[in-house]
Amino acid sequence: MAPTRLTASVLRTLPLFAALADDELAALLPSIRQHSYPARRAILRAGEKSDGVYFILSGRVKILLEDGHGREMLVASLGPNDFFGEMAFVDGGPRSATVEAYGACEVLHIPAKRLRECLQNNVGAVTLVLRTVVERMRKADRKIHDLALVDVYGRVAATLLETSLEEDGEWRVGPGCEQIASMVGASREMVSRVLRDMIDKGVICRKRRRLIVLDRAALADPSSRGTRNPVKGTA
Ligand code: CMP
């Protein structure tokens, strides 16, 4: 796919820059760099110093927390028009997480100094950054809640519900076992045991290596999860 050509009108499609005047956008353009990344390539790593903020033009990225021994947790995934790298931009601290391309993706990089100048006269853009950070915090709170208070069975059930899409009359789950494990913060072995239990109960099935949800109501029913469920555990 040909890379997107960066122009003032492309920049204006990003919500943060929508309210800028033409001359402000034109002044910003020369300092913005466009990068393409293949699938699974790290765009920035946890602990690094900040060099600016990134905006996604196309594709998706994963926000990952890693333990340095090969285990990782998927904290969030972001797509077109989203930005990342704002945390180190705001507080000057190190990058809080690793950001990796899901599939091929295109991003724009704006140096911190230029973005700061641009936000100075743009209350709307500052409010948007704040609102986005608050939304992410709410989601992170929900994740902390689930990690602390919902068992692995319940977390897997919720993830299957969230990530399944109806196609040709069946509810097909996007991620596989390994990805679900990284989303729910449990080991692959534990998740695979939970999935096997769900298959045995007829709640899901495997078709051409893909998980299919057969009984959404059972997955959504908290009484079929939690401490009363035979498959328990937290990791
Ligand atoms: P920064 O810390 O500069 O670099 C890593 C980025 O990952 C961070 O900024 C945010 O943009 C993003 N990030 C970190 N935690 C979350 C989260 N819980 N939800 C969404 N994005 C996050």
Side-chain angles (χ1 to χ4, degrees):
M1 204 169 65
T4 310
R5 203 171 73 80
L6 185 57
T7 59
S9 38
V10 168
L11 208 52
R12 202 183 280 293
T13 62
L14 297 168
L16 203 70
F17 302 112
L20 290 193
D22 286 347
D23 56 336
E24 287 176 303
L25 279 179
L28 203 54
L29 266 180
S31 53
I32 296 181
R33 293 282 166 267
Q34 188 171 348
H35 302 279
S36 299
Y37 293 91
R40 300 191 67 93
R41 177 72 55 82
I43 301 171
L44 57 84
R45 289 202 173 276
E48 286 175 356
K49 266 185 73 170
S50 166
D51 58 350
V53 175
Y54 295 79
F55 293 81
I56 304 172
L57 280 185
S58 65
R60 295 194 73 77
V61 303
K62 303 183 205 182
I63 311 292
L64 298 169
L65 295 180
E66 299 162 307
D67 70 352
H69 302 286
R71 275 191 70 180
E72 56 185 31
M73 168 145 193
L74 182 69
V75 178
S77 103
L78 306 176
N81 292 342
D82 283 332
F83 56 79
F84 56 90
E86 78 291 347
M87 288 170 67
F89 165 74
V90 170
D91 72 0
R95 296 294 191 195
S96 58
T98 293
V99 182
E100 188 183 284
Y102 239 123
C105 75
E106 286 181 302
V107 301
L108 298 180
H109 172 264
I110 303 191
K113 183 170 175 290
R114 294 296 288 122
L115 186 61
R116 208 160 280 126
E117 286 163 5
C118 161
L119 293 181
Q120 233 144 40
N121 302 317
N122 195 337
V123 181
V126 175
T127 311
L128 183 79
V129 173
L130 265 178
R131 188 175 314 127
T132 307
V133 170
V134 170
E135 274 167 17
R136 290 177 186 178
M137 205 168 158
R138 281 186 190 281
K139 280 193 187 159
D141 281 353
R142 280 202 295 276
K143 203 140 199 165
I144 293 168
H145 168 279
D146 288 354
L147 281 172
L149 304 174
V150 179
D151 70 3
V152 178
Y153 197 99
R155 296 189 331 246
V156 171
T159 305
L160 292 175
L161 284 174
E162 268 166 36
T163 60
S164 52
L165 287 176
E166 196 174 12
E167 283 172 68
D168 300 327
E170 40 184 40
W171 286 91
R172 297 177 183 160
V173 179
C177 179
E178 190 160 350
Q179 212 179 335
I180 293 172
S182 116
M183 292 167 89
V184 303
S187 67
R188 194 182 189 289
E189 295 70 29
M190 183 68 209
V191 170
S192 142
R193 265 175 29 219
V194 169
L195 293 175
R196 226 175 301 129
D197 184 71
M198 289 175 171
I199 290 172
D200 290 347
K201 285 181 175 157
V203 175
I204 61 171
C205 70
R206 230 181 255 283
K207 204 167 166 185
R208 286 186 289 276
R209 310 192 69 204
R210 196 154 195 191
L211 294 167
I212 310 286
V213 176
L214 302 173
D215 188 346
R216 287 178 69 80
L219 286 182
D221 177 10
S223 68
S224 69
R225 318 169 177 171
T227 50
R228 270 186 273 160
N229 201 286
V231 181
K232 285 191 276 177
T234 52

